Each structure stands twice: as structure tokens, then as C-alpha cells.
Amino acid sequence: PPILAILVLIAFWWAAYALKLKPEYVLPSPANAWDSFVAGLESGATQKAVFNSLQRAFVGFAISVVIGTVIGLALTKFSFFRRGFGPLITGLQILPSVAWVPAAIIWFAPKPKGPIIMGATPSIANGIKSGVDQIPPLYPRVGTMLGARGLNQIRYVILPASLPGYLSGLRQGWAFAWRSLMAAELIVFSPALGLGLGQVLDQNRSLGDMPGVMATIISILFVGILVELCFFAPLERRVLRQRGLLGDKL
């Protein structure tokens, strides 16, 4: 099905190009975009840009997971903290991640991890909060009776029981992290950090190289889908299967 969906999109692209809905210098053909993509692979520029972007994304996302998990657990444990900061964290999640980029670049320049952390942390915190809220009250009580208190209860009862909601938050957090990174790379560039996919996209736009623009957009999309299919989707299937919730849905 994913391959079929890609073929359908390419067919629409070819149709738009053949009908000349836009001039060729604005809407290149899929073949021209493919040639640009292959040229980037042959020169090694695409691989370097993908590596740089993924490295930044993974480091920023890992920091976001730690911060977001602590905040999410605090929201579930302390009612005063939840009433005071819960709406604020939800508002930060709704705030477009690109809005953080100018301030985060100034605060954390030249490293683009700041926008990633700002964009991903609220989603992760809300994900674990939602997962904990769905835990049957009997689970923590049984854990307490069996001696699981404090950090042990969080480790052995709360986190495993809230894992489906937690994974949803991680998944959404990764999406926010990847988008935030691309927005940051479009705005800022430091020779010390090397080119990322966002900088390559902006360079192609500045040069008017639309095949290169389309090839880079496809690369960004492909990397995002690859992380989803290779990490989050198998992890979600495993968790749902262990809980008998998979069925024929996935």
C-alpha cells in the first residue's frame, strides 16, 4: 500500500507537469527531480545532509524525551502543578513549532537543538499524562500492596501501564522535532555544523533550482517516513500485540 500511494502521487505529479499547469522552471517533471536526487547521492551531498540532520534530530529528541517524561510524570503526580502548568503545556503544544525558531536560535545559537526541544517536549509530556490518566486505578493500588512505591511504582507500574499513550506522545513529539529542525535549518546556517537537509533546500531555492528543491523535499519526506516505519510503527505493534489490542488494525 505505501508503494501504491507513492505511485499515485507521482502519477498526479506527472499529470500536472504534462498539462503545464505551471511553467517547467516552477514545476519540474518527476524525471528531472529524480536526476537531481541521483546527482546528490553520487556526489555524497545528500548522505551528508541526511546524516547531519538526523544526528541533530536524534540528540534533540532524546533530550526532549527526558524533559517531557519528567514534566508529564509531574503533571500526573501533583494536582497543583497540573492545574497550574497543564493548560500552559497544552498551549505550547498547539503553538506552531516554527514560532520557537527565532528565539531558540538566539538562545541556543548556533546549535538547532533548541527548537527541537521546544517543539517536541510538550507533546511528550501530554502523551505520558494522557497515558497515565487511562490507567485503571486498581493497578497503582495493587502495586502499592505489593511494595511498589515511589520510583519503583513509576518504573514497574505507571510507565508500563501508560506505554500506549506514552508511545503516541513520542510519535507526535518526533513529528514536531523533525518539523522544528527543518524550520531551524531553513533559517540558520553555521559552517561549523555542516549542511543539513533544510540548508540544502534553502540553497536550492536561492539558486532557483526547482528539481533540487523537489528532490530535497522528497528526501525530507522519505527520512521522516523511514523513521516512522522502522522505529515507531514496529514498537507500537509490539506494545499493542502484548496487550491483545492489535487484531487486524495494523
Side-chain angles (χ1 to χ4, degrees):
I3 295 176
L4 179 61
I6 291 173
L7 292 176
V8 170
L9 290 176
I10 293 176
F12 277 109
W13 185 359
W14 267 114
Y17 173 77
L19 293 173
K20 299 187 182 302
L21 298 180
K22 293 288 184 180
E24 187 173 355
Y25 64 86
V26 175
L27 181 64
S29 69
N32 290 337
W34 174 254
D35 291 340
S36 179
F37 178 74
V38 171
L41 291 177
E42 291 175 347
S43 67
T46 299
Q47 294 93 318
K48 291 180 181 178
V50 169
F51 176 79
N52 288 335
S53 292
L54 280 177
Q55 185 182 38
R56 298 164 188 167
F58 286 148
V59 172
F61 181 67
I63 297 172
S64 301
V65 170
V66 175
I67 298 174
T69 300
V70 172
I71 293 175
L73 290 173
L75 290 173
T76 62
K77 284 291 183 181
F78 306 105
S79 59
F80 178 80
F81 185 79
R82 178 169 185 158
R83 291 196 302 270
F85 288 93
L88 177 61
I89 293 174
T90 301
L92 292 176
Q93 181 180 359
I94 297 172
L95 181 71
S97 55
V98 70
W100 280 113
V101 174
I105 287 174
I106 295 173
W107 294 338
F108 304 102
K111 298 181 180 179
K113 298 183 185 68
I116 299 174
I117 297 171
M118 299 292 189
T121 299
S123 296
I124 297 171
N126 276 333
I128 192 169
K129 177 174 71 70
S130 176
V132 172
D133 288 345
Q134 296 172 18
I135 297 176
L138 183 63
Y139 289 5
R141 294 175 189 169
V142 172
T144 301
M145 291 180 62
L146 294 176
R149 295 179 176 85
L151 292 178
N152 282 333
Q153 186 176 88
I154 292 174
R155 178 181 177 184
Y156 294 108
V157 180
I158 300 299
L159 285 179
S162 65
L163 196 53
Y166 188 27
L167 279 179
S168 297
L170 292 177
R171 204 174 196 170
Q172 192 175 38
W174 167 254
F176 275 98
W178 189 239
R179 290 204 299 264
S180 300
L181 175 63
M182 292 301 105
E185 289 184 344
L186 281 168
I187 295 175
V188 67
F189 169 68
S190 172
L193 297 176
L195 283 177
L197 287 171
Q199 285 108 359
V200 172
L201 179 62
D202 189 56
Q203 283 188 351
N204 288 329
R205 178 199 61 81
S206 300
L207 296 173
D209 182 7
M210 284 307 298
V213 169
M214 297 302 297
T216 308
I217 291 174
I218 292 171
S219 299
I220 294 171
L221 178 65
F222 177 75
V223 171
I225 293 175
L226 190 65
V227 172
E228 163 68 21
L229 293 180
C230 294
F231 180 73
F232 288 106
L235 189 59
E236 182 185 37
R237 284 197 297 269
R238 181 179 177 181
V239 170
L240 294 178
R241 186 178 293 113
Q242 288 176 343
R243 286 161 170 74
L245 301 173
L246 187 59
D248 299 325
K249 294 184 290 185
L250 297 175

